Amino acid sequence: MRVAVYRRAHFNAAHRLHNPDWSDEKNRAVFGLCNNPNYHGHNYELEVKVVGEVDPATGYVIDLGLLKDIIKSQIEDRFDHKNLNLDTEEFKNLNPTAEHICYVIWQILRKHLDERYDIFVRLYETPRNFVEYPAE
Ligand code: NI
């Protein structure tokens, strides 16, 4: 029996969307307020979905305590209260859009969760704007 298990988390981080290959004018036109040279912050809400078989012995797909600890140590501790452009290796050369952040988080979690699980990551940049990887 395959079941989906979810865990929510959040982190606050600053970023600036900018493409160094473009002029300042084009960056402002494309990214608008998110191109502010002095950065700005978001309250990111993260939703991690883990799909797998229910273990008959435990009745669990995954121990949610374990999932919580992995998200805390690998994602929250890495990104919370950071300037994504300046403080993180992941976004030194990668524009920190919600799409890229979501994908980076998925890649990190993929390395830390058993391959028998399917993983889906949803990232809310605002209560109304959110992305999901992989796309269905
Ligand atoms: Ni922004």
Side-chain angles (χ1 to χ4, degrees):
M1 179 175 67
R2 278 168 66 81
V3 173
V5 173
Y6 294 79
R7 172 77 193 177
R8 287 199 176 126
H10 78 269
F11 56 93
N12 306 318
H15 75 167
R16 180 195 190 198
L17 301 185
H18 185 81
N19 183 335
D21 297 336
W22 295 346
S23 67
D24 288 350
E25 188 181 30
K26 181 165 182 184
N27 270 290
R28 272 194 299 275
V30 172
F31 295 123
L33 289 172
C34 276
N35 182 243
N36 176 13
N38 292 328
Y39 307 93
H40 63 279
H42 290 282
N43 295 313
Y44 290 98
E45 292 290 335
L46 175 63
E47 191 175 282
V48 177
K49 175 183 178 182
V50 177
V51 179
E53 286 288 330
V54 174
D55 181 330
T58 59
Y60 291 164
V61 170
I62 186 171
D63 181 336
L64 272 168
L66 174 69
L67 181 58
K68 173 190 169 183
D69 289 346
I70 291 170
I71 294 170
K72 169 78 169 67
S73 62
Q74 295 301 322
I75 308 301
E76 293 171 62
D77 289 354
R78 190 185 305 248
F79 296 137
D80 189 37
H81 284 71
K82 299 289 174 62
N83 180 313
L84 296 176
N85 304 75
L86 301 180
D87 300 334
T88 74
E89 285 305 315
E90 290 79 5
F91 300 105
K92 280 205 160 49
N93 298 301
L94 181 65
N95 207 13
T97 60
E99 289 87 335
H100 284 158
I101 300 167
C102 188
Y103 178 61
V104 163
I105 289 171
W106 182 90
Q107 284 183 306
I108 294 167
L109 293 177
R110 183 70 280 177
K111 278 186 242 155
H112 289 88
L113 288 166
D114 193 288
E115 61 185 16
R116 71 178 181 272
Y117 298 124
D118 289 326
I119 305 166
F120 301 85
V121 173
R122 184 177 277 190
L123 183 72
Y124 291 77
E125 193 169 72
T126 74
R128 294 190 181 94
N129 294 343
F130 58 97
V131 300
E132 189 173 56
Y133 184 86
E136 296 191 58

